Structures are given as C-alpha cells and as structure tokens.
PDB file of all heavy atoms in Angstrom:
ATOM      1  N   GLU A  26     108.555  76.380  95.596  1.00  0.00           N
ATOM      2  CA  GLU A  26     109.299  77.319  94.782  1.00  0.00           C
ATOM      3  C   GLU A  26     108.485  77.941  93.641  1.00  0.00           C
ATOM      4  O   GLU A  26     108.599  79.090  93.326  1.00  0.00           O
ATOM      5  CB  GLU A  26     110.567  76.676  94.239  1.00  0.00           C
ATOM      6  CG  GLU A  26     111.483  77.630  93.493  1.00  0.00           C
ATOM      7  CD  GLU A  26     112.794  76.977  93.149  1.00  0.00           C
ATOM      8  OE1 GLU A  26     113.023  75.809  93.501  1.00  0.00           O
ATOM      9  OE2 GLU A  26     113.625  77.651  92.516  1.00  0.00           O
ATOM     10  N   GLY A  27     107.653  77.105  92.990  1.00  0.00           N
ATOM     11  CA  GLY A  27     106.874  77.621  91.884  1.00  0.00           C
ATOM     12  C   GLY A  27     105.674  78.455  92.333  1.00  0.00           C
ATOM     13  O   GLY A  27     105.245  78.374  93.466  1.00  0.00           O
ATOM     14  N   ILE A  28     105.108  79.222  91.430  1.00  0.00           N
ATOM     15  CA  ILE A  28     103.979  80.058  91.734  1.00  0.00           C
ATOM     16  C   ILE A  28     102.699  79.213  91.756  1.00  0.00           C
ATOM     17  O   ILE A  28     102.260  78.671  90.751  1.00  0.00           O
ATOM     18  CB  ILE A  28     103.833  81.216  90.720  1.00  0.00           C
ATOM     19  CG1 ILE A  28     105.080  82.090  90.777  1.00  0.00           C
ATOM     20  CG2 ILE A  28     102.575  82.033  91.009  1.00  0.00           C
ATOM     21  CD1 ILE A  28     105.063  83.182  89.722  1.00  0.00           C
ATOM     22  N   ASP A  29     102.142  79.028  92.939  1.00  0.00           N
ATOM     23  CA  ASP A  29     100.863  78.290  93.153  1.00  0.00           C
ATOM     24  C   ASP A  29     100.966  76.853  92.624  1.00  0.00           C
ATOM     25  O   ASP A  29     100.002  76.300  92.094  1.00  0.00           O
ATOM     26  CB  ASP A  29      99.721  79.007  92.457  1.00  0.00           C
ATOM     27  CG  ASP A  29      99.538  80.418  92.949  1.00  0.00           C
ATOM     28  OD1 ASP A  29      99.707  80.634  94.162  1.00  0.00           O
ATOM     29  OD2 ASP A  29      99.255  81.331  92.144  1.00  0.00           O
ATOM     30  N   THR A  30     102.129  76.234  92.787  1.00  0.00           N
ATOM     31  CA  THR A  30     102.377  74.878  92.283  1.00  0.00           C
ATOM     32  C   THR A  30     102.332  73.802  93.389  1.00  0.00           C
ATOM     33  O   THR A  30     102.438  72.621  93.081  1.00  0.00           O
ATOM     34  CB  THR A  30     103.701  74.784  91.556  1.00  0.00           C
ATOM     35  OG1 THR A  30     104.742  75.139  92.457  1.00  0.00           O
ATOM     36  CG2 THR A  30     103.732  75.726  90.350  1.00  0.00           C
ATOM     37  N   GLY A  31     102.221  74.235  94.624  1.00  0.00           N
ATOM     38  CA  GLY A  31     102.352  73.295  95.734  1.00  0.00           C
ATOM     39  C   GLY A  31     101.208  72.296  95.869  1.00  0.00           C
ATOM     40  O   GLY A  31     100.138  72.464  95.252  1.00  0.00           O
ATOM     41  N   ASP A  32     101.448  71.267  96.668  1.00  0.00           N
ATOM     42  CA  ASP A  32     100.417  70.269  96.940  1.00  0.00           C
ATOM     43  C   ASP A  32      99.266  70.915  97.675  1.00  0.00           C
ATOM     44  O   ASP A  32      99.419  71.834  98.457  1.00  0.00           O
ATOM     45  CB  ASP A  32     101.015  69.121  97.765  1.00  0.00           C
ATOM     46  CG  ASP A  32     102.030  68.288  96.976  1.00  0.00           C
ATOM     47  OD1 ASP A  32     102.174  68.526  95.766  1.00  0.00           O
ATOM     48  OD2 ASP A  32     102.672  67.428  97.592  1.00  0.00           O
ATOM     49  N   VAL A  33      98.059  70.373  97.434  1.00  0.00           N
ATOM     50  CA  VAL A  33      96.828  70.981  97.933  1.00  0.00           C
ATOM     51  C   VAL A  33      96.274  70.161  99.124  1.00  0.00           C
ATOM     52  O   VAL A  33      96.184  68.952  99.072  1.00  0.00           O
ATOM     53  CB  VAL A  33      95.772  71.046  96.809  1.00  0.00           C
ATOM     54  CG1 VAL A  33      94.419  71.526  97.357  1.00  0.00           C
ATOM     55  CG2 VAL A  33      96.256  71.980  95.701  1.00  0.00           C
ATOM     56  N   TYR A  34      95.943  70.894 100.201  1.00  0.00           N
ATOM     57  CA  TYR A  34      95.353  70.274 101.382  1.00  0.00           C
ATOM     58  C   TYR A  34      93.855  70.131 101.253  1.00  0.00           C
ATOM     59  O   TYR A  34      93.266  69.079 101.545  1.00  0.00           O
ATOM     60  CB  TYR A  34      95.651  71.140 102.612  1.00  0.00           C
ATOM     61  CG  TYR A  34      97.079  71.087 103.060  1.00  0.00           C
ATOM     62  CD1 TYR A  34      98.030  71.950 102.510  1.00  0.00           C
ATOM     63  CD2 TYR A  34      97.489  70.210 104.069  1.00  0.00           C
ATOM     64  CE1 TYR A  34      99.336  71.906 102.936  1.00  0.00           C
ATOM     65  CE2 TYR A  34      98.799  70.179 104.504  1.00  0.00           C
ATOM     66  CZ  TYR A  34      99.737  71.009 103.922  1.00  0.00           C
ATOM     67  OH  TYR A  34     101.045  70.976 104.345  1.00  0.00           O
ATOM     68  N   LEU A  35      93.197  71.256 100.850  1.00  0.00           N
ATOM     69  CA  LEU A  35      91.730  71.305 100.806  1.00  0.00           C
ATOM     70  C   LEU A  35      91.290  72.221  99.680  1.00  0.00           C
ATOM     71  O   LEU A  35      92.024  73.137  99.305  1.00  0.00           O
ATOM     72  CB  LEU A  35      91.149  71.869 102.107  1.00  0.00           C
ATOM     73  CG  LEU A  35      91.421  71.176 103.412  1.00  0.00           C
ATOM     74  CD1 LEU A  35      90.926  72.095 104.563  1.00  0.00           C
ATOM     75  CD2 LEU A  35      90.723  69.839 103.508  1.00  0.00           C
ATOM     76  N   LYS A  36      90.072  72.004  99.196  1.00  0.00           N
ATOM     77  CA  LYS A  36      89.429  72.967  98.327  1.00  0.00           C
ATOM     78  C   LYS A  36      87.985  73.164  98.841  1.00  0.00           C
ATOM     79  O   LYS A  36      87.325  72.202  99.224  1.00  0.00           O
ATOM     80  CB  LYS A  36      89.403  72.477  96.862  1.00  0.00           C
ATOM     81  CG  LYS A  36      90.748  72.432  96.193  1.00  0.00           C
ATOM     82  CD  LYS A  36      90.615  71.997  94.736  1.00  0.00           C
ATOM     83  CE  LYS A  36      91.955  71.918  94.040  1.00  0.00           C
ATOM     84  NZ  LYS A  36      91.869  71.538  92.621  1.00  0.00           N
ATOM     85  N   ARG A  37      87.529  74.426  98.792  1.00  0.00           N
ATOM     86  CA  ARG A  37      86.166  74.730  99.195  1.00  0.00           C
ATOM     87  C   ARG A  37      85.548  75.699  98.234  1.00  0.00           C
ATOM     88  O   ARG A  37      86.221  76.543  97.636  1.00  0.00           O
ATOM     89  CB  ARG A  37      86.152  75.290 100.614  1.00  0.00           C
ATOM     90  CG  ARG A  37      86.553  74.284 101.689  1.00  0.00           C
ATOM     91  CD  ARG A  37      85.567  73.138 101.806  1.00  0.00           C
ATOM     92  NE  ARG A  37      85.943  72.172 102.855  1.00  0.00           N
ATOM     93  CZ  ARG A  37      86.628  71.068 102.615  1.00  0.00           C
ATOM     94  NH1 ARG A  37      87.044  70.797 101.376  1.00  0.00           N
ATOM     95  NH2 ARG A  37      86.889  70.203 103.592  1.00  0.00           N
ATOM     96  N   ASP A  38      84.230  75.617  98.045  1.00  0.00           N
ATOM     97  CA  ASP A  38      83.507  76.455  97.096  1.00  0.00           C
ATOM     98  C   ASP A  38      83.397  77.905  97.564  1.00  0.00           C
ATOM     99  O   ASP A  38      83.370  78.198  98.751  1.00  0.00           O
ATOM    100  CB  ASP A  38      82.066  75.913  96.896  1.00  0.00           C
ATOM    101  CG  ASP A  38      82.034  74.541  96.259  1.00  0.00           C
ATOM    102  OD1 ASP A  38      82.964  74.255  95.455  1.00  0.00           O
ATOM    103  OD2 ASP A  38      81.090  73.781  96.513  1.00  0.00           O
ATOM    104  N   LEU A  39      83.389  78.799  96.572  1.00  0.00           N
ATOM    105  CA  LEU A  39      83.216  80.226  96.850  1.00  0.00           C
ATOM    106  C   LEU A  39      82.422  80.867  95.687  1.00  0.00           C
ATOM    107  O   LEU A  39      82.785  80.695  94.527  1.00  0.00           O
ATOM    108  CB  LEU A  39      84.556  80.925  96.941  1.00  0.00           C
ATOM    109  CG  LEU A  39      84.519  82.427  97.216  1.00  0.00           C
ATOM    110  CD1 LEU A  39      84.003  82.741  98.618  1.00  0.00           C
ATOM    111  CD2 LEU A  39      85.888  83.067  97.009  1.00  0.00           C
ATOM    112  N   ALA A  40      81.363  81.611  96.044  1.00  0.00           N
ATOM    113  CA  ALA A  40      80.580  82.342  95.039  1.00  0.00           C
ATOM    114  C   ALA A  40      81.230  83.686  94.762  1.00  0.00           C
ATOM    115  O   ALA A  40      81.808  84.299  95.638  1.00  0.00           O
ATOM    116  CB  ALA A  40      79.134  82.513  95.544  1.00  0.00           C
ATOM    117  N   LEU A  41      81.057  84.150  93.509  1.00  0.00           N
ATOM    118  CA  LEU A  41      81.738  85.365  93.072  1.00  0.00           C
ATOM    119  C   LEU A  41      80.797  86.521  92.798  1.00  0.00           C
ATOM    120  O   LEU A  41      81.140  87.450  92.048  1.00  0.00           O
ATOM    121  CB  LEU A  41      82.549  85.058  91.798  1.00  0.00           C
ATOM    122  CG  LEU A  41      83.734  84.090  91.986  1.00  0.00           C
ATOM    123  CD1 LEU A  41      84.368  83.777  90.641  1.00  0.00           C
ATOM    124  CD2 LEU A  41      84.743  84.664  92.941  1.00  0.00           C
ATOM    125  N   PHE A  42      79.608  86.534  93.401  1.00  0.00           N
ATOM    126  CA  PHE A  42      78.710  87.684  93.222  1.00  0.00           C
ATOM    127  C   PHE A  42      79.092  88.752  94.226  1.00  0.00           C
ATOM    128  O   PHE A  42      79.737  88.534  95.240  1.00  0.00           O
ATOM    129  CB  PHE A  42      77.259  87.250  93.430  1.00  0.00           C
ATOM    130  CG  PHE A  42      76.947  86.697  94.792  1.00  0.00           C
ATOM    131  CD1 PHE A  42      76.635  87.561  95.828  1.00  0.00           C
ATOM    132  CD2 PHE A  42      76.954  85.325  95.034  1.00  0.00           C
ATOM    133  CE1 PHE A  42      76.360  87.070  97.113  1.00  0.00           C
ATOM    134  CE2 PHE A  42      76.694  84.824  96.279  1.00  0.00           C
ATOM    135  CZ  PHE A  42      76.375  85.699  97.303  1.00  0.00           C
ATOM    136  N   GLY A  43      78.690  90.003  93.892  1.00  0.00           N
ATOM    137  CA  GLY A  43      78.995  91.140  94.789  1.00  0.00           C
ATOM    138  C   GLY A  43      80.291  91.802  94.453  1.00  0.00           C
ATOM    139  O   GLY A  43      80.982  91.509  93.483  1.00  0.00           O
ATOM    140  N   THR A  44      80.643  92.785  95.313  1.00  0.00           N
ATOM    141  CA  THR A  44      81.870  93.542  95.129  1.00  0.00           C
ATOM    142  C   THR A  44      83.071  92.715  95.564  1.00  0.00           C
ATOM    143  O   THR A  44      82.935  91.720  96.267  1.00  0.00           O
ATOM    144  CB  THR A  44      81.849  94.840  95.933  1.00  0.00           C
ATOM    145  OG1 THR A  44      81.850  94.494  97.342  1.00  0.00           O
ATOM    146  CG2 THR A  44      80.610  95.690  95.618  1.00  0.00           C
ATOM    147  N   ALA A  45      84.265  93.171  95.164  1.00  0.00           N
ATOM    148  CA  ALA A  45      85.497  92.466  95.616  1.00  0.00           C
ATOM    149  C   ALA A  45      85.543  92.439  97.131  1.00  0.00           C
ATOM    150  O   ALA A  45      85.928  91.405  97.702  1.00  0.00           O
ATOM    151  CB  ALA A  45      86.724  93.216  95.052  1.00  0.00           C
ATOM    152  N   GLU A  46      85.171  93.534  97.797  1.00  0.00           N
ATOM    153  CA  GLU A  46      85.175  93.560  99.269  1.00  0.00           C
ATOM    154  C   GLU A  46      84.254  92.489  99.822  1.00  0.00           C
ATOM    155  O   GLU A  46      84.619  91.760 100.767  1.00  0.00           O
ATOM    156  CB  GLU A  46      84.714  94.934  99.749  1.00  0.00           C
ATOM    157  CG  GLU A  46      84.788  95.139 101.247  1.00  0.00           C
ATOM    158  CD  GLU A  46      86.135  95.647 101.720  1.00  0.00           C
ATOM    159  OE1 GLU A  46      86.992  95.944 100.877  1.00  0.00           O
ATOM    160  OE2 GLU A  46      86.310  95.734 102.947  1.00  0.00           O
ATOM    161  N   GLU A  47      83.083  92.354  99.265  1.00  0.00           N
ATOM    162  CA  GLU A  47      82.114  91.347  99.739  1.00  0.00           C
ATOM    163  C   GLU A  47      82.628  89.937  99.491  1.00  0.00           C
ATOM    164  O   GLU A  47      82.463  89.033 100.340  1.00  0.00           O
ATOM    165  CB  GLU A  47      80.755  91.546  99.051  1.00  0.00           C
ATOM    166  CG  GLU A  47      80.074  92.815  99.495  1.00  0.00           C
ATOM    167  CD  GLU A  47      78.866  93.214  98.616  1.00  0.00           C
ATOM    168  OE1 GLU A  47      78.826  92.712  97.452  1.00  0.00           O
ATOM    169  OE2 GLU A  47      78.052  94.006  99.056  1.00  0.00           O
ATOM    170  N   ILE A  48      83.245  89.734  98.352  1.00  0.00           N
ATOM    171  CA  ILE A  48      83.801  88.390  98.027  1.00  0.00           C
ATOM    172  C   ILE A  48      84.945  88.040  98.988  1.00  0.00           C
ATOM    173  O   ILE A  48      85.046  86.938  99.476  1.00  0.00           O
ATOM    174  CB  ILE A  48      84.282  88.344  96.553  1.00  0.00           C
ATOM    175  CG1 ILE A  48      83.064  88.545  95.620  1.00  0.00           C
ATOM    176  CG2 ILE A  48      84.970  87.040  96.265  1.00  0.00           C
ATOM    177  CD1 ILE A  48      83.449  88.774  94.171  1.00  0.00           C
ATOM    178  N   PHE A  49      85.801  89.027  99.258  1.00  0.00           N
ATOM    179  CA  PHE A  49      86.911  88.762 100.211  1.00  0.00           C
ATOM    180  C   PHE A  49      86.407  88.449 101.597  1.00  0.00           C
ATOM    181  O   PHE A  49      86.919  87.584 102.284  1.00  0.00           O
ATOM    182  CB  PHE A  49      87.843  89.962 100.270  1.00  0.00           C
ATOM    183  CG  PHE A  49      88.754  90.110  99.059  1.00  0.00           C
ATOM    184  CD1 PHE A  49      88.956  91.338  98.455  1.00  0.00           C
ATOM    185  CD2 PHE A  49      89.453  89.005  98.540  1.00  0.00           C
ATOM    186  CE1 PHE A  49      89.765  91.490  97.357  1.00  0.00           C
ATOM    187  CE2 PHE A  49      90.295  89.137  97.476  1.00  0.00           C
ATOM    188  CZ  PHE A  49      90.450  90.360  96.883  1.00  0.00           C
ATOM    189  N   LEU A  50      85.351  89.133 102.045  1.00  0.00           N
ATOM    190  CA  LEU A  50      84.748  88.843 103.332  1.00  0.00           C
ATOM    191  C   LEU A  50      84.143  87.426 103.355  1.00  0.00           C
ATOM    192  O   LEU A  50      84.259  86.722 104.381  1.00  0.00           O
ATOM    193  CB  LEU A  50      83.670  89.876 103.671  1.00  0.00           C
ATOM    194  CG  LEU A  50      84.187  91.267 104.054  1.00  0.00           C
ATOM    195  CD1 LEU A  50      83.034  92.272 104.124  1.00  0.00           C
ATOM    196  CD2 LEU A  50      84.914  91.231 105.394  1.00  0.00           C
ATOM    197  N   ARG A  51      83.504  87.066 102.282  1.00  0.00           N
ATOM    198  CA  ARG A  51      82.955  85.711 102.181  1.00  0.00           C
ATOM    199  C   ARG A  51      84.077  84.675 102.180  1.00  0.00           C
ATOM    200  O   ARG A  51      83.977  83.651 102.819  1.00  0.00           O
ATOM    201  CB  ARG A  51      82.137  85.622 100.876  1.00  0.00           C
ATOM    202  CG  ARG A  51      81.182  84.461 100.803  1.00  0.00           C
ATOM    203  CD  ARG A  51      80.374  84.485  99.468  1.00  0.00           C
ATOM    204  NE  ARG A  51      79.768  85.794  99.298  1.00  0.00           N
ATOM    205  CZ  ARG A  51      79.893  86.526  98.206  1.00  0.00           C
ATOM    206  NH1 ARG A  51      80.623  86.105  97.184  1.00  0.00           N
ATOM    207  NH2 ARG A  51      79.282  87.700  98.109  1.00  0.00           N
ATOM    208  N   ALA A  52      85.160  84.988 101.460  1.00  0.00           N
ATOM    209  CA  ALA A  52      86.312  84.099 101.396  1.00  0.00           C
ATOM    210  C   ALA A  52      86.905  83.950 102.774  1.00  0.00           C
ATOM    211  O   ALA A  52      87.373  82.842 103.145  1.00  0.00           O
ATOM    212  CB  ALA A  52      87.320  84.621 100.415  1.00  0.00           C
ATOM    213  N   SER A  53      86.948  85.019 103.558  1.00  0.00           N
ATOM    214  CA  SER A  53      87.526  84.991 104.919  1.00  0.00           C
ATOM    215  C   SER A  53      86.831  83.949 105.770  1.00  0.00           C
ATOM    216  O   SER A  53      87.464  83.205 106.514  1.00  0.00           O
ATOM    217  CB  SER A  53      87.483  86.382 105.551  1.00  0.00           C
ATOM    218  OG  SER A  53      88.242  86.424 106.734  1.00  0.00           O
ATOM    219  N   LYS A  54      85.493  83.893 105.674  1.00  0.00           N
ATOM    220  CA  LYS A  54      84.754  82.910 106.481  1.00  0.00           C
ATOM    221  C   LYS A  54      85.095  81.471 106.040  1.00  0.00           C
ATOM    222  O   LYS A  54      85.205  80.579 106.866  1.00  0.00           O
ATOM    223  CB  LYS A  54      83.238  83.193 106.336  1.00  0.00           C
ATOM    224  CG  LYS A  54      82.833  84.529 106.914  1.00  0.00           C
ATOM    225  CD  LYS A  54      81.346  84.778 106.700  1.00  0.00           C
ATOM    226  CE  LYS A  54      80.917  86.148 107.269  1.00  0.00           C
ATOM    227  NZ  LYS A  54      79.500  86.420 106.999  1.00  0.00           N
ATOM    228  N   VAL A  55      85.248  81.312 104.712  1.00  0.00           N
ATOM    229  CA  VAL A  55      85.583  79.965 104.224  1.00  0.00           C
ATOM    230  C   VAL A  55      86.981  79.568 104.656  1.00  0.00           C
ATOM    231  O   VAL A  55      87.227  78.442 105.091  1.00  0.00           O
ATOM    232  CB  VAL A  55      85.488  79.940 102.688  1.00  0.00           C
ATOM    233  CG1 VAL A  55      85.968  78.599 102.117  1.00  0.00           C
ATOM    234  CG2 VAL A  55      84.055  80.206 102.216  1.00  0.00           C
ATOM    235  N   ILE A  56      87.892  80.531 104.642  1.00  0.00           N
ATOM    236  CA  ILE A  56      89.299  80.237 105.065  1.00  0.00           C
ATOM    237  C   ILE A  56      89.368  79.873 106.530  1.00  0.00           C
ATOM    238  O   ILE A  56      90.142  79.002 106.925  1.00  0.00           O
ATOM    239  CB  ILE A  56      90.218  81.413 104.705  1.00  0.00           C
ATOM    240  CG1 ILE A  56      90.343  81.565 103.205  1.00  0.00           C
ATOM    241  CG2 ILE A  56      91.613  81.229 105.302  1.00  0.00           C
ATOM    242  CD1 ILE A  56      91.020  82.833 102.730  1.00  0.00           C
TER     243      ILE A  56
END
C-alpha cells in the first residue's frame, strides 16, 4: 500500500553515467 515501502527481494548495482536513455537501457539489462 505504501509508496516503495514493500519488502525487498534483491538489490543490484547500477552506474549513473550517460543520458537517461542510456541509463534506462543499462537498467533494463540488470532487471
């Protein structure tokens, strides 16, 4: 019910260099 308050299954690292588009593409591979 809360915003981003749920229990966590996993966490993985993500670098934040580049454009938002590039970061989202990098995130997609991690997901």
